[in-house]
Amino acid sequence: MPRNGKQIYAERLDLVLKAFTVKTLNWNGRYDRFENVPMEIEPFQKPHPPLWYGAHSPASAERAARKGLNMVTNDMPASARAIIARYREVWDETQKSAAPPKMGIVRFIVVADTDAKALTIARRAYLRWCASFTYLSEMNGTLPDSPLRVESSMH
């Protein structure tokens, strides 16, 4: 991720959230500028459809809670526990009248007739997923802050 990647992401999230609530988008941000962009399709759900925020740290979970977004993580159990705890804590502080949030944990599950067949399928699928997940980061000479970097055990 570029040095200012988190700031760009945060600004663009605000941009997307605003775009859901206006008929014409005007935006003069640090990274993007738009003027008189017609927002042709109005969301049915108000202020926007339910959104899911991928959290990989207590800080990112806090951002999701403060924005009132659902949260999902694919971190390992010990990290996920801290992420979910911070999300709940901030949600309770900032979203008092809101409906309870939805939280998810991503896990890869492969079912086959035998463990060996499942592992054969999983290895091929996981390697493809991992290559897709890390593509842009690797293209830019970095690795994503990802919890599921277990590809060495899948080879």
Side-chain angles (χ1 to χ4, degrees):
M1 181 177 284
R3 260 180 290 148
N4 56 350
K6 289 180 183 177
Q7 292 86 4
I8 293 170
Y9 184 86
E11 180 177 298
R12 289 186 178 156
L13 176 60
D14 289 341
L15 168 64
V16 168
L17 293 174
K18 181 179 180 182
F20 279 124
T21 64
V22 296
K23 294 200 180 292
T24 303
L25 178 64
N26 292 296
W27 183 265
N28 188 10
R30 183 173 177 189
Y31 303 101
D32 298 292
R33 287 174 182 65
F34 300 101
E35 189 171 322
N36 296 318
V37 177
M39 304 309 297
E40 297 291 336
I41 301 174
E42 184 177 339
F44 179 74
Q45 297 107 326
K46 303 294 182 198
H48 53 74
L51 300 177
W52 287 83
Y53 190 99
H56 299 295
S57 70
S60 60
E62 181 174 330
R63 285 190 295 276
R66 288 192 187 285
K67 297 279 186 199
L69 306 176
N70 298 311
M71 188 271 309
V72 63
T73 184
N74 63 354
D75 283 70
M76 302 307 285
S79 299
R81 185 175 293 113
I83 290 165
I84 291 168
R86 183 64 181 149
Y87 178 81
R88 285 182 171 155
E89 178 183 10
V90 174
W91 184 277
D92 290 344
E93 292 170 4
T94 61
Q95 307 295 330
K96 292 179 178 18
S97 63
K102 294 181 178 159
M103 294 173 273
I105 295 180
V106 175
R107 293 295 180 254
F108 300 118
I109 300 170
V110 178
V111 178
D113 291 336
T114 67
D115 287 351
K117 287 180 183 177
L119 283 170
T120 298
I121 295 166
R123 280 185 186 99
R124 190 179 75 214
Y126 180 82
L127 293 173
R128 176 174 230 135
W129 172 84
C130 191
S132 174
F133 186 80
T134 61
Y135 175 75
L136 289 176
S137 298
E138 289 174 355
M139 190 170 74
N140 290 295
T142 64
L143 286 176
D145 295 332
S146 172
L148 295 178
R149 304 285 307 164
V150 294
E151 64 273 3
S152 61
S153 67
M154 295 296 292
H155 292 295

